[in-house]
Amino acid sequence: MNSTSLACWAAPIAPRIRTLLALALVLLTSPSSLADEPSKLADQEWALLIGISQYQKAPKLPYIDRDVLAMSDVLTNYAGVKPSHIRTVYDADPDTPPNKANIEKAIQAWLKKPSADGTLIVYFSGHGFRDAEGKLYLAPLECDPAHPTEAGIPVQWIREQLDACPAAFKLLVIDACHAGAEKGEDESIGVNAKDISDAFKQSPGVVTLASSTGDEKSQLWDFKQQSLFSYWLKEGLKGHADSQGDGNVSLDELYEYVYNHVQETARVRLQRVQTPVRTIGPRTPGVPVVVQLVPQGLKQVLSDMSEQMAGAMEEHQINKVGVLEFTNDTKFGELLGGNFGLLGKYCGDEIERKLGSLGSDKFAVIDRGRLLPAMMQQKLSVKDLNNSSAMNTLSKRVGGLPVIARGTLRNRTGRLVTLRCRLENASDGTQLSDVGGLAVLTDSEWAMIGRSVEVKPETPPPPGPDEKPAIVAPPIIDRAEEKSRGPHPFRDPNFSFPMQIMIDGKERKGVFKKAGEGKDRHEDYVIGVKVGEVYEIRVQSRQPDLFVMRLLVDGLNTLPQKEATKGVETYEWAKHIENLGDARTWVLDPAGPKVTRMGGLPTWGFRGFVSDTGEHGHLREFKVV
């Protein structure tokens, strides 16, 4: 059984009226018949970020300022930590250079900030030294490696400060013993990151992540102009480490992500060995959540994911990739479309386009126009993507397919949805990269999910003389999401925009069917049609205002869509729309001179895809195939 979907989004454009209308109709064919709210964790999370680059008496370290700034940016924009909860002490800040006095002052002040149920992140990037008695020190700006007792900050003192901090979970990140400082550094007094982290083994609630172990060096990655360890730590906190797809980055997820990527990049790109180390102190609460992700725009998340996959392609010297439509993770397994309508196809298209741009002369992206027909000829199903024999056959059909990008959409709550995408070896399913993030959908992106709903703005009544102004109504998509779980709009006899499917001049009635479960429950309006039938879509309006409408059939715009070309302006008819908000709109005026009225209502009929507009306009009829 095949299906054809219709999507309609309409909004009156009168100055004081705005309605969101999102309709999804399903034509069944058979041969016979939007977080923007800050996370609660972020309110209780504090961070102290320390980096020293321009040492006065010790070897200077490049890129450390960039590491501190990158960490601050990620914690603010991806983890939602309040800027007032983040303290930075580094060279680029002329007001508080990272000398002994300023660092000790910041440690004493900031470690008192968290509450008993709060979280503290302390990040240090710089040198560490030991004195003649073997005592360990973190090195501030003026520290002399030969005499660390004079200006060094004793690790034992830092441990005492952390022990006194009331936070239940304290994450100490040590990025020390940098490879860029090898030349001229006295190995007998220098210490690696693991040596420092071992000093905190017995600190209650303290977990340390150290950049390297044993006699390894913490590599500096010139290509990224960051420390290798700090770069992957930052990427993990952006959401790529959220392997569970629940919008949280746990301690286990973060460590596994950083451990794997640092080792792999050090080996493949730098021909070095670097092994991050984790130490968990007593009374650490379970598996703590390091950050709760702040949702980003969908395009931003897809762009971040594409950049990481492009890096993995280059790292593994892969010359070709095929990108599949994103599937929907359900209790029944992976499904195409599922509870996400056209959104999965849009995500796959965006990844394909972005990888194509990033690949340039490094690798090629197989065009979906070649990949999909090959999959259809082979009659592949979603479950076949885990079959190495089936994937080898597909690879041969398209002239070689070393890896595929397989994306999934998960855990949608209203406007929020988690995305994951795996880069897999097509022959044996080996995973080369696993990336993701938390996205917040716009109204057009939410409409692509395929829910039927009409929502009008709620104007709070004016307050009384002794009353405060009413709280602003929730965002329109939040209300649309809630309302979409109720009866289909077509059940309402006063629905603002009645629609019909006309076949041979008669309305073909449909039936209401329940779909989805729990938070994804909704109602579809299903119309049975036969192969070969030609249909017309009629739209009416009970509102007097001029309005605009986007009308898509099977994701194809019913109006010609302008193409981005140089010099000559061209239009493509029946163009697939990747984002509903990009679709060209119909402008419908109930008071127009040529409007047909039926049953007292202004009525517009749409009989096919418009291939040309104006006096010489042409239609390609809607025909069931």
Side-chain angles (χ1 to χ4, degrees):
M1 183 173 289
N2 302 315
S3 67
T4 296
S5 61
L6 310 179
C8 171
W9 189 100
I13 54 177
R16 300 175 59 187
I17 300 177
R18 187 169 179 275
T19 301
L20 171 68
L21 167 66
L23 294 176
L25 294 78
V26 178
L27 278 64
L28 289 185
T29 311
S30 67
S32 61
S33 56
L34 54 54
D36 302 298
E37 297 179 0
S39 72
K40 295 179 181 178
L41 177 64
D43 287 336
Q44 305 174 59
E45 192 149 21
W46 298 79
L48 174 59
L49 312 176
I50 302 168
I52 306 95
S53 174
Q54 301 301 311
Y55 279 98
Q56 297 170 355
K57 301 176 181 178
K60 292 178 171 55
L61 298 173
Y63 314 141
I64 303 303
D65 285 352
R66 291 175 60 89
D67 288 341
V68 172
L69 287 172
M71 281 292 295
S72 178
D73 176 72
V74 166
L75 290 175
T76 301
N77 296 314
Y78 286 82
V81 180
K82 296 178 178 178
S84 59
H85 285 206
I86 299 175
R87 177 77 165 88
T88 57
V89 185
Y90 66 119
D91 296 84
D93 185 350
D95 296 327
T96 54
N99 56 35
K100 178 180 173 69
N102 285 333
I103 293 175
E104 288 185 342
K105 183 178 178 181
I107 290 174
Q108 288 177 316
W110 229 246
L111 270 57
K112 295 176 183 177
K113 297 284 189 179
S115 61
D117 55 354
T119 296
L120 172 71
I121 298 175
V122 177
Y123 168 89
F124 174 85
S125 185
H127 288 303
F129 300 114
R130 73 175 76 241
D131 64 16
E133 298 178 0
K135 294 180 181 179
L136 303 178
Y137 299 84
L138 295 186
L141 187 67
E142 71 274 33
C143 184
D144 184 347
H147 306 286
T149 56
E150 296 177 4
I153 302 174
V155 168
Q156 177 61 32
W157 176 81
I158 297 174
R159 175 181 168 175
E160 292 169 358
Q161 300 299 310
L162 277 172
D163 288 349
C165 175
F169 170 50
K170 292 159 275 192
L171 178 63
L172 175 62
V173 180
I174 302 294
D175 195 356
C177 193
H178 293 283
E182 288 184 68
K183 188 175 180 180
E185 184 178 286
D186 186 346
E187 296 288 342
S188 65
I189 59 176
V191 294
N192 60 51
K194 184 179 183 298
D195 290 338
I196 299 171
S197 70
D198 282 347
F200 298 88
K201 278 185 176 180
Q202 300 305 316
S203 293
V206 174
V207 175
T208 60
L209 293 182
S211 58
S212 59
T213 185
D215 57 358
E216 298 171 1
K217 293 292 182 179
S218 183
Q219 302 297 320
L220 295 169
W221 194 0
D222 292 330
F223 178 69
K224 295 292 185 180
Q225 295 191 325
Q226 280 193 255
S227 157
L228 176 63
F229 173 78
S230 291
Y231 173 81
W232 286 118
L233 179 70
K234 172 201 71 174
E235 291 301 314
L237 292 172
K238 286 170 71 172
H240 298 306
D242 179 22
S243 58
Q244 295 298 314
D246 58 3
N248 298 323
V249 176
S250 72
L251 177 63
D252 284 355
E253 289 175 323
L254 182 61
Y255 176 61
E256 181 180 4
Y257 178 87
V258 173
Y259 180 90
N260 290 335
H261 282 82
V262 168
Q263 277 200 323
E264 182 75 0
T265 304
R267 179 182 65 84
V268 175
R269 287 182 179 258
L270 307 178
Q271 290 75 54
R272 295 286 189 273
V273 176
Q274 184 174 339
T275 311
V277 180
R278 174 176 62 172
T279 303
I280 302 177
R283 300 202 297 276
T284 299
V287 181
V289 172
V290 180
V291 296
Q292 288 181 346
L293 298 174
V294 171
Q296 309 295 308
L298 181 58
K299 282 194 174 183
Q300 179 63 52
V301 173
L302 293 170
S303 178
D304 286 345
M305 293 165 64
S306 300
E307 288 180 8
Q308 289 303 310
M309 285 191 286
M313 291 277 294
E314 186 178 356
E315 190 166 284
H316 292 276
Q317 298 182 328
I318 304 297
N319 64 356
K320 194 183 298 183
V321 60
V323 182
L324 304 183
E325 177 179 336
F326 275 47
T327 58
N328 175 198
D329 261 359
T330 74
K331 66 180 182 180
F332 304 108
E334 288 184 63
L335 299 176
L336 275 175
N339 297 321
F340 288 91
L342 296 172
L343 194 63
K345 189 176 191 311
Y346 168 73
C347 292
D349 290 343
E350 275 292 298
I351 292 283
E352 180 180 325
R353 179 167 49 250
K354 186 68 175 177
L355 283 178
S357 173
L358 293 169
S360 186
D361 57 345
K362 302 181 183 72
F363 57 84
V365 181
I366 296 180
D367 185 83
R368 197 81 59 86
R370 288 183 58 206
L371 187 58
L372 289 180
M375 296 176 72
M376 293 175 68
Q377 289 175 7
Q378 198 173 329
K379 297 182 179 179
L380 284 179
S381 65
V382 174
K383 65 181 180 181
D384 290 326
L385 300 179
N386 297 314
N387 185 311
S388 58
S389 176
M391 296 311 296
N392 278 321
T393 301
L394 176 64
S395 178
K396 293 176 182 178
R397 285 179 180 271
V398 294
L401 179 62
V403 296
I404 57 172
R406 292 181 56 187
T408 57
L409 297 161
R410 306 178 182 176
N411 303 328
R412 187 179 69 84
T413 303
R415 294 174 294 154
L416 305 184
V417 59
T418 303
L419 293 84
R420 301 297 304 177
C421 193
R422 301 185 301 274
L423 203 60
E424 296 179 351
N425 189 307
S427 61
D428 59 13
T430 304
Q431 181 175 292
L432 305 181
S433 178
D434 184 15
V435 297
L438 179 65
V440 57
L441 305 179
T442 64
D443 52 1
S444 292
E445 290 161 353
W446 180 89
M448 284 193 286
I449 291 170
R451 296 293 186 268
S452 297
V453 65
E454 179 187 25
V455 178
K456 297 178 181 179
E458 295 179 357
T459 304
D466 299 322
E467 294 178 339
K468 294 181 179 179
I471 297 175
V472 176
I476 195 166
I477 294 302
D478 289 350
R479 291 185 287 118
E481 171 72 22
E482 181 63 31
K483 200 165 183 179
S484 71
R485 298 175 190 145
H488 194 283
F490 284 4
R491 289 188 181 274
D492 181 1
N494 297 313
F495 177 51
S496 299
F497 299 96
M499 295 179 66
Q500 299 91 32
I501 298 297
M502 309 298 294
I503 298 177
D504 295 331
K506 297 180 180 179
E507 180 182 359
R508 179 72 57 85
K509 294 287 188 179
V511 295
F512 297 99
K513 288 193 174 183
K514 299 291 184 183
E517 296 180 347
K519 63 185 180 183
D520 287 319
R521 72 182 186 277
H522 61 280
E523 192 171 47
D524 288 331
Y525 185 64
V526 182
I527 302 170
V529 292
K530 298 178 182 179
V531 171
E533 287 185 323
V534 177
Y535 61 91
E536 174 187 356
I537 303 169
R538 284 188 181 171
V539 178
Q540 297 181 300
S541 176
R542 286 193 168 90
Q543 299 190 13
D545 306 288
L546 183 78
F547 66 98
V548 296
M549 177 183 73
R550 297 183 177 97
L551 178 63
L552 275 59
V553 175
D554 277 347
L556 309 177
N557 198 0
T558 50
L559 277 172
Q561 194 80 11
K562 184 177 178 180
E563 285 291 279
T565 56
K566 295 182 179 179
V568 180
E569 190 174 273
T570 61
Y571 287 82
E572 180 182 344
W573 69 272
K575 178 177 173 59
H576 179 266
I577 300 301
E578 295 164 347
N579 188 312
L580 188 59
D582 296 333
R584 187 179 177 188
T585 59
W586 293 89
V587 180
L588 305 177
D589 185 1
K594 297 182 181 180
V595 173
T596 302
R597 303 186 73 86
M598 293 185 179
L601 297 177
T603 304
W604 296 266
F606 303 90
R607 296 181 288 108
F609 297 101
V610 178
S611 57
D612 194 7
T613 58
E615 294 181 0
H616 304 290
H618 293 86
L619 290 176
R620 304 294 177 95
E621 63 185 7
F622 296 137
K623 186 175 183 179
V624 182
V625 297

